[in-house]
Amino acid sequence: MFAQERREQIIKQLRIKKRIEVRQLEEIFQVSGATLRTDLRELEKEGKLLRTHGGAMLLENDLQKEDILSGRKNIEQKKFIAQTAIDYIKEYDSLLLDSGSTTLEFARELKNFKNLKVITNDLQIALELQENPWIELYLIGGKVRNRFRLTNGVISLDFIKNIAVDKVFLAPNALSAMDGATTSNEEMRAMKQAMMASSTESYMLCDSSKIGKRAFCKFADPSEFQMMFTDSGISQKEKEALEKKGMQITICE
C-alpha cells in the first residue's frame, strides 16, 4: 500500500472511531510505528486530524461535516422514527427538541398539532414550526454555530436551566452499550445534558447507522431514556446489549 492510500485509510478509520492510537494502526496496516507517526504528522499539516499522545483524533470540523452529510442519508428511516415517536405526544405537552436531522423530521410531524409548547435550539426546526399558530414556539438564544443551524453556549444553557418541560427528544451522534449516548464536542454535550435535566421524560431518536459507534463526548447512559426509537437496521446483538443496559427500544418500520 502506498503512503497516500494508507493515509486515506487512516482518515476513514478516524471517521468511524473518532480517535485512534498508533498501536491500533500498527495492527491494521502492519507497518512500523515510525512510519505511522510520519503519516499522522503529514495529515496534521493538511488539517485533517489532531495528533494526541500516542495517536490522533479527528478534528471537530471534520466530525461536524460528517454529521451534515449523514443528515442527508437514511431519510426514510428517520421518517419512520418520527412517525412512531409522535404517538408519545399529547395535547398541552411542553417539549424540548434537540438539533438534528431526525428531530427535524419529528418536528415536521408536529405541524398539525394544537396546544403544544415547543422549545428548540435548531433554527430550521423553528422555521418549520412557526407556520403553526397553535404551537407556542420558543427559540433558545445564544451563539449561532455558522453553517450548523443551531444555537449553543452559555446564554443557551442559562435559558434551558430556567425552564421545566414535560419531554425532551434528543438525537445523538452515536450510541453504543459500552459508551452510551455520545456527541461530537463538549458544547453539544452540555446542551443535551441541560435539556435532559430540565425535562421530566427523555426520549432518543436514533437511526440505526449511529448504533454501535461512538463520538467524542458522552452525555448520557442508555438507562436515562424512557424510550429509544430506531429503525429495523439495528442488529440483534446491539439491541440486546442496549436492553441489558436498561434501554427500552421501539423499532420503527
Side-chain angles (χ1 to χ4, degrees):
M1 182 182 291
F2 294 111
Q4 187 57 40
E5 293 176 303
R6 186 173 58 250
R7 291 167 190 173
E8 289 173 1
Q9 290 300 316
I10 288 172
I11 294 299
K12 287 183 179 180
Q13 288 294 319
L14 278 172
R15 284 174 177 157
I16 296 168
K17 302 176 186 294
K18 312 310 176 193
R19 56 170 60 216
I20 201 163
E21 295 180 3
V22 171
R23 60 178 179 79
Q24 293 173 298
L25 294 172
E26 288 175 337
E27 293 176 6
I28 295 169
F29 297 107
Q30 296 296 301
V31 296
S32 71
T35 297
L36 290 163
R37 280 187 282 274
T38 299
D39 289 337
L40 297 180
R41 278 195 298 272
E42 291 303 313
L43 288 167
E44 186 176 47
K45 288 179 184 176
E46 295 173 15
K48 293 182 177 179
L49 56 76
L50 179 67
R51 283 190 298 154
T52 62
H53 180 69
M57 62 183 288
L58 200 63
L59 285 174
E60 179 182 316
N61 285 343
D62 280 341
L63 279 170
Q64 292 167 338
K65 287 173 188 173
E66 287 298 301
D67 292 342
I68 287 174
L69 291 173
S70 68
R72 300 170 186 166
K73 301 175 183 177
N74 309 311
I75 295 299
E76 287 304 313
Q77 291 90 333
K78 291 172 183 181
K79 287 181 178 178
F80 291 148
I81 290 168
Q83 289 162 4
T84 302
I86 207 70
D87 291 339
Y88 284 70
I89 302 300
K90 63 181 186 296
E91 194 173 12
Y92 297 106
D93 270 346
S94 55
L95 311 174
L96 263 169
L97 296 189
D98 186 21
S99 179
S101 55
T102 313
T103 46
L104 175 60
E105 291 299 330
F106 180 76
R108 287 170 175 154
E109 296 295 324
L110 293 174
K111 289 171 73 174
N112 295 321
F113 272 76
K114 290 185 177 181
N115 301 315
L116 289 181
K117 183 178 291 183
V118 180
I119 303 98
T120 186
N121 68 323
D122 187 297
L123 305 182
Q124 195 165 348
I125 288 175
L127 286 172
E128 287 281 342
L129 294 180
Q130 58 90 28
E131 299 288 343
N132 184 341
W134 297 101
I135 290 179
E136 187 178 338
L137 178 65
Y138 293 82
L139 179 61
I140 298 170
K143 181 181 178 182
V144 175
R145 299 196 72 174
N146 294 336
R147 300 181 295 115
F148 297 105
R149 302 184 298 273
L150 61 87
T151 60
N152 64 7
V154 174
I155 295 173
S156 300
L157 293 176
D158 285 344
F159 180 96
I160 295 169
K161 289 173 182 176
N162 285 290
I163 62 172
V165 302
D166 298 315
K167 299 163 186 174
V168 61
F169 288 81
L170 292 164
N173 292 79
L175 172 68
S176 72
M178 180 176 294
D179 299 297
T182 53
T183 190
S184 59
N185 60 68
E186 293 178 3
E187 284 190 329
M188 295 310 298
R189 173 177 63 185
M191 176 68 72
K192 292 175 192 293
Q193 288 178 334
M195 286 182 167
M196 292 178 71
S198 295
S199 305
T200 303
E201 298 176 359
S202 298
Y203 296 88
M204 182 188 294
L205 310 177
C206 182
D207 75 80
S208 61
S209 70
K210 298 177 180 180
I211 297 175
K213 298 178 181 179
R214 65 177 180 179
F216 183 50
C217 293
K218 177 179 176 179
F219 68 88
D221 289 316
S223 60
E224 294 181 61
F225 295 89
Q226 269 65 39
M227 184 66 66
M228 188 271 279
F229 301 91
T230 190
D231 60 82
S232 58
I234 184 174
S235 71
Q236 188 63 26
K237 180 180 178 181
E238 292 289 348
K239 182 175 181 292
E240 290 175 358
L242 287 165
E243 288 173 336
K244 285 180 180 178
K245 293 289 186 176
M247 177 167 267
Q248 300 294 313
I249 300 172
T250 295
I251 306 297
C252 310
E253 301 181 279

